[in-house]
């Protein structure tokens, strides 16, 4: 398995199914489309397109209040799956973005910026 940002490495990964060609960002160990257990973990390029954007003005916890306001995005990665992550302020639907990583609340977090 390739280490990603959830394991302290600055990269995005996804699962690819060679049986049907599906890509999924959330690791399951099987393909959500066809059920195959022959999925491969691959490194994503980090490039994608903003599908949705929202500005969080009221943080969900006391520990995150210092970060508000911040932007959350749903990004359609070029590899064919979608991820939710932080983004630089001002990004809108359709913007081309690339993932970087920064500290957010004491943890490494993907942050998308305009390409």
């Amino acid at each position: 398995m390739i280490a990603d940002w959830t394991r302290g490495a600055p990269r995005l990964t996804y699962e690819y199914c060679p049986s049907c060609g599906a890509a999924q960002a959330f690791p399951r160990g099987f393909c959500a489309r066809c059920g195959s257990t022959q999925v491969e973990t691959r490194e994503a390029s980090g490039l994608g397109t903003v599908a949705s954007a929202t500005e969080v003005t009221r943080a969900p916890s006391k520990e995150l209040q210092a970060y508000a306001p911040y932007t959350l995005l749903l990004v359609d990665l070029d590899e064919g799956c979608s991820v939710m992550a932080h983004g630089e302020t001002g990004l809108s639907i359709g913007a081309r973005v690339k993932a970087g990583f920064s500290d957010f609340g004491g943890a490494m977090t993907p942050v998308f910026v305009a390409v």
Side-chain angles (χ1 to χ4, degrees):
M1 179 179 272
I2 302 170
D4 65 6
W5 68 275
T6 64
R7 292 173 184 84
R11 67 174 63 94
L12 294 175
T13 60
Y14 66 101
E15 286 184 333
Y16 172 77
C17 178
S19 296
C20 72
Q24 56 196 29
F26 184 74
R28 295 175 175 90
F30 67 91
C31 177
R33 181 188 292 166
C34 74
S36 172
T37 58
Q38 303 303 310
V39 293
E40 304 168 356
T41 301
R42 295 184 174 181
E43 184 173 351
S45 66
L47 293 169
T49 304
V50 175
S52 180
T54 189
E55 194 75 17
V56 176
T57 57
R58 200 166 101 194
S61 70
K62 188 173 189 116
E63 296 78 25
L64 299 180
Q65 286 177 354
Y67 295 94
Y70 55 90
T71 303
L72 288 180
L73 305 174
L74 182 62
V75 175
D76 294 334
L77 295 177
D78 288 355
E79 289 77 13
C81 55
S82 299
V83 296
M84 184 173 279
H86 290 261
E88 69 181 349
T89 302
L91 290 173
S92 58
I93 294 170
R96 288 290 294 164
V97 291
K98 179 163 181 62
F101 299 87
S102 69
D103 178 78
F104 184 82
M108 181 184 298
T109 305
V111 179
F112 283 88
V113 297
V115 173

